Amino acid sequence: MHAPTGDAPATLPPQQTGTAAQPAPEPAARARPGTTWWIWAMAAALFLGYSILSLSVHERLLSRSFDLGIFVQVVRSYAAWHLPVSEVKGPDFPVLGDHFSPVLALLAPLYWLWPSVKMLLVAQAALVAGSMVPLAFWARRALGAPAAAVVGICYGLSWGLASGVESDFHEWAFALPLLTLSLTALSAGRLRAAAAWALPLVLVKEDMGLTVAAIGVVIAWQGGRGNRRTGLLTAAAGVLAVALSLLVLSSFHPGGFEGYFGSHNPGSGAPAGPQDAAGGGLPALLERVTIGLVEPREKVTTLILIFAPTLFLALRSPLALVLVPSVLWRLASNYPPHWGTGYHYSLLVMPIVFVAFVDALHRRGTSGRSLYRYLAGCAGVTLLLLPHFPFWQLVKADTWRNHPRTAVAHQVMAEIPDDATVQASHYLVPHLADRTSVSLYGWGDSRPNPEWIMVDTEVAPQWRWPMSVVQESYALEDARAHGYRTVVERDGFVLLSRTAARTG
């Protein structure tokens, strides 16, 4: 059944009530047909804000080799008509042995038009902003125009999107519009459409098949006898996609099946922060999937923040079950950054909880003053959280200030010719990845003996990775002792070359 449009009376489909179709509560305020330009204007404003935030982070030399540098090299590979490789991961490392994300090939035509790392950041901004549109349209149909405006803005400014947009580029951006299209269709009772929008998620990343399976389970549960087959087939397709993805990944990984899982063990050295050892065997695993789901307390804080913008009402919708795969693997992980609110790990949960919020309000028949109280609470929580997450950077003076070292960094990088082999510091790699063959300085798997080395020796200790200040100093001296000459040394930036004569 299609969602009501215009001034037609809304109905709850049988699969949502367990009875014959019956009239749903009238929305508090029904928008007139055709008055939807403001939804697109909201999306355009969000797109502009996301783009500014991402590009400002990049221009201030705060984007990272893991992951932005890797993704630029992947898109460059697709744009050159060959399977994706990443020098950041290792010499000619096949990225399909790291993550199954063929959806990134869709960016190749855009890269032909704009061969820059900035294209990826702008594309991500468009995908994330665009995911608000189906959510707002469904909220408008189900609850009225005022609710659509509040829900759309609160979703667009939610802390999970803020952390994701600020944290480089990630393939999960492609999942957001697909998730909102699928879940809003599911909420509206269009179950086949929900399945159709969910299935392409398996091309975003290897673990997204579990989310597709969860959507299939909800379809089967909600759909009654007539749509149970659709749900079960969708769930089976999701599980099968996970299995096939793992086979593809292990076949491309240089170390095979064991190499793939070994390289994704957080104890093996990931760049985002400190790690715990993965040992301990079965007792440690049992602890992680029981008491470990809520310990340390950071995990509980994250769970609270996931549902707080919806006043925990999202938990009253069956759509909240779709959260289980995305939340469970994070809480069971032994990698501390998975537990918190930073990086991109909460991108996927935001569309699910906000569609579930609208679905719960619609099911309850919430209208009038009761609806406005819920909307005011959602807006209040969103505003309270806003200063604690990256969107707040847009109102800080430092975001808009010209940083002299940034200009120096770009001047020094301009000395490196296109297509050269380079090793560079963690935060310099993304600025070179769209025109050179760059790898990470100090990373054990980087291509040895590059033509150029560029290092930022004044990075704050807490931002250094993978070498400490002392290790970096010894490494530079060793490079000079083995034939590298200093081309530029200015404001903490050191540029070495194997062949160039010293010029400064």
Side-chain angles (χ1 to χ4, degrees):
M1 178 179 294
H2 289 275
T5 57
D7 293 320
T11 59
L12 287 172
Q15 64 269 16
Q16 292 189 349
T17 63
T19 62
Q22 58 184 347
E26 281 296 313
R30 180 71 65 185
R32 294 181 179 179
T35 58
T36 59
W37 63 268
W38 52 273
I39 294 179
W40 297 101
M42 285 166 51
L46 290 172
F47 165 70
L48 182 62
Y50 297 160
S51 297
I52 292 173
L53 177 60
S54 290
L55 293 173
S56 69
V57 169
H58 179 66
E59 286 301 311
R60 287 179 287 148
L61 305 180
L62 296 176
S63 51
R64 297 171 280 264
S65 59
F66 285 72
D67 294 303
L68 184 56
I70 293 173
F71 283 116
V72 176
Q73 292 175 337
V74 168
V75 175
R76 283 186 71 187
S77 298
Y78 281 125
W81 299 99
H82 58 74
L83 292 177
V85 296
S86 173
E87 286 288 303
V88 175
K89 292 291 294 183
D92 297 320
F93 186 92
V95 177
L96 287 179
D98 183 41
H99 289 301
F100 184 71
S101 303
V103 70
L104 293 172
L106 296 177
L107 293 178
L110 295 178
Y111 194 83
W112 297 335
L113 299 174
W114 187 12
S116 169
V117 62
K118 296 177 183 179
M119 183 278 292
L120 275 71
L121 299 176
V122 173
Q124 175 173 261
L127 289 165
V128 177
S131 69
M132 184 275 298
V133 174
L135 171 64
F137 269 102
W138 170 233
R140 175 178 172 270
R141 295 187 191 104
L143 303 172
V150 173
V151 170
I153 292 172
C154 290
Y155 167 73
L157 297 179
S158 61
W159 65 265
L161 298 191
S163 296
V165 168
E166 186 261 354
S167 183
D168 295 346
F169 170 92
H170 293 90
E171 69 278 86
W172 278 348
F174 282 94
L176 267 65
L178 291 172
L179 273 173
T180 50
L181 285 164
S182 177
L183 295 177
T184 54
L186 179 53
S187 182
R190 297 183 291 115
L191 304 186
R192 292 186 179 179
W197 284 117
L199 289 173
L201 287 168
V202 301
L203 302 177
V204 174
K205 200 173 180 181
E206 64 275 9
D207 56 353
M208 291 303 299
L210 298 177
T211 299
V212 173
I215 292 173
V217 169
V218 176
I219 291 174
W221 178 23
Q222 295 287 99
R225 185 174 302 173
N227 289 288
R228 189 164 296 145
R229 184 183 179 194
T230 298
L232 294 178
L233 287 175
T234 302
V239 174
L240 180 61
V242 173
L244 292 176
S245 297
L246 293 179
L247 289 176
V248 170
L249 292 166
S250 61
S251 65
F252 275 93
H253 196 281
F257 194 78
E258 293 182 1
Y260 166 73
F261 282 99
S263 66
H264 285 76
N265 171 6
S268 65
Q275 300 97 27
D276 290 338
L282 184 60
L285 178 61
L286 291 175
E287 181 182 358
R288 283 162 53 192
V289 298
T290 53
I291 189 65
L293 295 178
V294 291
E295 288 287 344
R297 285 180 292 179
E298 183 182 9
K299 297 180 181 181
V300 177
T301 301
T302 298
L303 280 174
I304 292 173
L305 289 177
I306 286 173
F307 294 103
T310 69
L311 308 180
F312 297 88
L313 199 62
L315 290 169
R316 298 192 179 186
S317 167
L319 299 184
L321 291 173
V322 181
L323 283 167
V324 172
S326 297
V327 172
L328 192 60
W329 73 260
R330 289 176 60 187
L331 299 182
S333 170
N334 66 337
Y335 180 43
H338 288 162
W339 311 335
T341 57
Y343 302 102
H344 59 292
Y345 300 117
S346 298
L347 264 179
L348 293 180
V349 303
M350 291 295 110
I352 301 172
V353 294
F354 274 90
V355 177
F357 178 50
V358 174
D359 184 66
L361 290 172
H362 186 46
R363 286 169 178 274
R364 289 163 57 91
T366 310
S367 61
R369 291 183 178 179
S370 179
L371 175 62
Y372 292 144
R373 283 197 295 268
Y374 281 119
L375 296 175
C378 178
V381 173
T382 300
L383 291 175
L384 285 173
L385 293 176
L386 198 59
H388 303 284
F389 290 92
F391 287 152
W392 199 248
Q393 293 180 26
L394 295 176
V395 299
K396 290 185 175 180
D398 189 62
T399 302
W400 307 97
R401 186 177 297 122
N402 291 325
H403 297 270
R405 290 193 77 244
T406 301
V408 172
H410 286 286
Q411 292 169 7
V412 175
M413 284 187 284
E415 298 284 335
I416 303 173
D418 293 349
D419 300 320
T421 58
V422 188
Q423 283 189 16
S425 295
H426 186 37
Y427 292 89
L428 299 177
V429 167
H431 295 267
L432 294 163
D434 54 12
R435 67 178 186 87
T436 69
S437 179
V438 64
S439 54
L440 177 61
Y441 188 61
W443 178 249
D445 292 329
S446 291
R447 184 179 292 278
N449 303 315
E451 297 170 307
W452 298 79
I453 295 174
M454 183 171 174
V455 179
D456 182 0
T457 63
E458 293 187 3
V459 174
Q462 66 268 27
W463 297 110
R464 285 185 174 274
W465 184 80
M467 292 193 297
S468 67
V469 176
V470 174
Q471 291 171 328
E472 182 179 87
S473 177
Y474 279 121
L476 287 174
E477 289 305 314
D478 184 68
R480 291 185 175 105
H482 286 82
Y484 284 88
R485 295 184 177 274
T486 302
V487 178
V488 178
E489 187 167 1
R490 182 157 36 120
D491 288 356
F493 295 103
V494 177
L495 180 63
L496 306 179
S497 174
R498 283 191 318 199
T499 57
R502 180 169 182 165
T503 60

